[in-house]
Amino acid sequence: MDMKKRIHLELRNRTPEAVRELVLDNCRSNYGEIEGLTADFVNLEFLSLINVGLISVSNLPKLPKLKKLELSENRVFGGLDMLAGNLPNLKHLNLSGNKLKDIGTLEPLKKLECLKSLDLFNCEVTNLNDYRESVFKLLPQLKYLDGYDRDDGEASDSDAVDEDEEDEDEEDEEDEFDDEEDEDEDVEGEEDEDEVSGEDEDLGHDGELDEDEDDDDEDEDEEEEESGKGEKRKRETDDEGEDD
């Protein structure tokens, strides 16, 4: 199966943006170049192109989130500049079994600031004197070369797990930060509602007080009217007595 058809099958029920891992091992490349892979795979984190007959990665698209790239058992002999330009977050690169002959061909990898692990098993470059020292000097950001660190300490599975956990922690921190912002917005909304309801309550109390005051005023007016009528009656009675 050729590479383009395999990618088409991978996208039967999903969009390129939804793909995080893509394995195209043993597919046929198009004249030794990558075919069918586009910049639409913006969330791709793992890409495997083992034994697909590649001789160049010059048409590799920009994949901003790619962390691990498998290119072993191909025929790549140089032209790694595109990796540095299009894979800014690449951490693991496997070039084992390719046609890399000298240290100079690795020069473009200096620009991969996040690169932590590089594999060059079965490449001719590994036969050079001081191969490991030269590569670590050329690529100071490297932690592991062919599975070993500068002091020949073997990389453990826990290292890969720790890196994955760090990535997950970063994502969790971002999610927590977003949640905190949402909570703050909810609290502010509740406070605003409380202030509004408080104002309504004050208005309500004032209204009641006003009604009570109006009732008191009416009662006083009625008492004054009755008092006036009583005094008028008394004067009329006194006047009749005098007439008699």
Side-chain angles (χ1 to χ4, degrees):
M1 182 183 297
D2 63 48
M3 190 180 300
K4 190 173 183 179
K5 186 175 181 180
R6 178 69 174 273
I7 293 175
H8 179 72
L9 290 175
E10 290 285 340
L11 298 178
R12 281 179 300 180
N13 300 315
R14 51 182 176 167
T15 62
E17 294 84 357
V19 180
R20 293 183 178 275
E21 296 186 2
L22 190 58
V23 178
L24 304 173
D25 299 347
N26 303 311
C27 291
R28 295 190 301 275
S29 61
N30 182 32
Y31 298 105
E33 294 187 346
I34 300 169
E35 183 183 26
L37 188 65
T38 68
D40 292 332
F41 290 82
V42 292
N43 293 310
L44 193 64
E45 297 180 1
F46 173 72
L47 175 61
S48 186
L49 295 166
I50 298 174
N51 189 33
V52 296
L54 287 182
I55 60 175
S56 172
V57 291
S58 60
N59 64 336
L60 183 73
K62 189 174 182 64
L63 302 171
K65 292 188 177 182
L66 195 71
K67 297 176 182 178
K68 188 172 184 178
L69 177 59
E70 291 280 349
L71 292 173
S72 60
E73 306 304 324
N74 285 291
R75 294 176 290 161
V76 176
F77 58 87
L80 302 179
D81 304 73
M82 295 300 294
L83 298 182
N86 293 339
L87 310 176
N89 288 304
L90 190 66
K91 293 183 177 182
H92 306 276
L93 175 60
N94 190 344
L95 287 167
S96 301
N98 279 278
K99 305 296 182 181
L100 303 171
K101 297 181 179 181
D102 57 77
I103 299 294
T105 58
L106 305 176
E107 184 86 20
L109 302 183
K110 291 173 65 174
K111 298 178 182 179
L112 288 172
E113 298 179 357
C114 297
L115 190 64
K116 300 300 179 186
S117 176
L118 176 63
D119 291 318
L120 297 169
F121 292 112
N122 299 323
C123 292
E124 292 184 40
V125 68
T126 61
N127 297 323
L128 299 175
N129 293 330
D130 300 326
Y131 151 70
R132 289 181 57 79
E133 292 80 359
S134 298
V135 174
F136 275 120
K137 184 178 180 180
L138 177 68
L139 308 174
Q141 77 273 34
L142 271 190
K143 186 175 182 180
Y144 297 109
L145 175 61
D146 300 330
Y148 291 85
D149 62 21
R150 298 171 187 270
D151 301 321
D152 293 330
E154 186 174 5
S156 62
D157 294 336
S158 61
D159 292 320
V161 172
D162 291 340
E163 289 183 0
D164 291 338
E165 288 179 350
E166 287 177 4
D167 295 335
E168 290 177 359
D169 291 340
E170 291 177 359
E171 293 177 357
D172 291 340
E173 287 177 2
E174 292 178 358
D175 293 338
E176 288 177 2
F177 181 73
D178 293 338
D179 291 340
E180 289 176 358
E181 286 187 340
D182 293 338
E183 289 177 0
D184 292 339
E185 291 177 358
D186 292 339
V187 170
E188 290 177 0
E190 290 176 359
E191 290 177 352
D192 292 340
E193 290 178 0
D194 291 340
E195 290 177 1
V196 173
S197 62
E199 292 175 359
D200 293 340
E201 289 177 0
D202 293 339
L203 290 174
H205 290 311
D206 291 343
E208 290 176 2
L209 290 173
D210 292 341
E211 290 178 0
D212 293 339
E213 289 176 358
D214 292 340
D215 292 339
D216 292 340
D217 292 340
E218 290 178 0
D219 293 339
E220 289 176 359
D221 293 339
E222 290 177 358
E223 289 176 359
E224 289 177 358
E225 288 179 3
E226 291 178 358
S227 176
K229 291 178 180 179
E231 290 178 357
K232 186 176 181 182
R233 289 196 205 98
K234 184 177 180 182
R235 285 197 299 271
E236 290 176 352
T237 304
D238 292 340
D239 291 340
E240 289 177 357
E242 289 176 0
D243 292 339
D244 293 338

